[in-house]
Amino acid sequence: MDKLKILITFFSNTGNTEKVASSMKDGLTDHDVDMIAVKDVAPKTLNSYDIVFLGSGVYASRIDKSVLTLVKKAVPDLPSKLVYFCTHASLKLYQEPFKRINNIAKEHNCEIIGKFDCVGENLGIPLETQLGMLEKLPEDQKEKAIKDMEKMKGRPNELDLENAKNFATSLMKNL
Ligand SMILES: Cc1cc2nc3c(=O)[nH]c(=O)nc-3n(C[C@H](O)[C@H](O)[C@H](O)COP(=O)(O)O)c2cc1C
């Protein structure tokens, strides 16, 4: 396969999504990859890439606004292929954090060729505050929520990062 020009760009408040971005880059060694934080990407450069990976943590069920702004500013010169990735503090991704970008992508015939998500421990809200937020829950729900929080400690972990790397590698093989 020809060497592709790929951009991996991301917003990461506490580093979880950046770790995933790095692992994806490790999975794309056959290609020419730039990994650049969203704030440092010039919107008009997006369509100079064959594929753009867009990543963000999930905050209040959405990706960070800076990622959406980057895409909006790039219109109408969007790349032909996008990949989404995110990290979130729910054991299952139940939100649709890229919904607004999806609408823009559809309007501009930009294909979403892959999506990846994994758990990222919530390091942005102090533990006491998180526990305080559970106080009003019925006892059984509170216990479950605390157990779920335990399962998120240290995530993304080695396995999550290996999955991110393999995701990127196999995505290119299946193009
Ligand atoms: C203010 C705030 C809001 C959050 N909102 C959500 C949310 O709505 N859903 C969710 O699953 N995780 C939520 N999280 C957890 C983050 O998505 C998760 O920890 C993610 O890995 C952070 O990525 P980052 O380290 O790249 O910033 C929130 C975290 C913070 C700090």
Side-chain angles (χ1 to χ4, degrees):
M1 178 202 256
D2 289 345
K3 208 172 196 182
L4 297 174
K5 195 169 175 233
I6 298 173
L7 172 68
I8 301 177
T9 186
F10 57 91
F11 174 87
S12 183
N13 186 36
T14 56
N16 293 336
T17 313
E18 183 168 3
K19 283 184 190 165
V20 170
S22 274
S23 296
M24 287 183 168
K25 186 169 189 239
D26 292 343
L28 297 170
T29 46
D30 291 343
H31 300 282
D32 178 8
V33 182
D34 290 334
M35 178 176 146
I36 311 175
V38 157
K39 66 177 177 39
D40 298 323
V41 175
K44 294 296 171 193
T45 61
L46 283 198
N47 78 342
S48 67
Y49 292 93
D50 297 306
I51 306 174
V52 173
F53 285 58
L54 292 174
S56 174
V58 175
Y59 315 99
S61 303
R62 290 281 170 266
I63 54 165
D64 188 72
K65 215 175 150 194
S66 60
V67 184
L68 176 64
T69 303
L70 173 68
V71 173
K72 276 187 177 168
K73 282 189 177 168
V75 166
D77 304 317
L78 292 180
S80 60
K81 292 180 173 56
L82 285 179
V83 178
Y84 300 149
F85 65 101
C86 67
T87 66
H88 49 83
S90 44
L91 291 177
K92 220 172 148 209
L93 182 64
Y94 59 87
Q95 307 108 328
E96 286 186 74
F98 286 91
K99 201 173 172 181
R100 292 180 69 187
I101 291 189
N102 239 355
N103 293 336
I104 299 172
K106 259 188 213 156
E107 276 170 30
H108 295 273
N109 298 323
C110 178
E111 191 188 357
I112 313 305
I113 61 164
K115 295 179 188 175
F116 179 86
D117 73 279
C118 79
V119 171
E121 182 179 359
N122 194 343
L123 303 168
I125 301 177
L127 192 57
E128 303 83 76
T129 311
Q130 291 185 52
L131 292 172
M133 285 155 70
L134 305 178
E135 271 315 312
K136 287 190 184 141
L137 289 177
E139 204 51 41
D140 56 331
Q141 287 182 33
K142 192 172 142 185
E143 262 178 41
K144 183 180 178 307
I146 290 171
K147 276 190 189 148
D148 285 352
M149 276 171 66
E150 285 293 320
K151 290 183 194 158
M152 293 184 210
K153 281 219 169 104
R155 308 276 301 266
N157 56 24
E158 269 182 39
L159 180 61
D160 295 320
L161 297 178
E162 191 61 26
N163 287 341
K165 182 179 168 184
N166 292 338
F167 163 81
T169 307
S170 58
L171 193 62
M172 295 306 124
K173 281 193 183 134
N174 295 326
L175 270 185

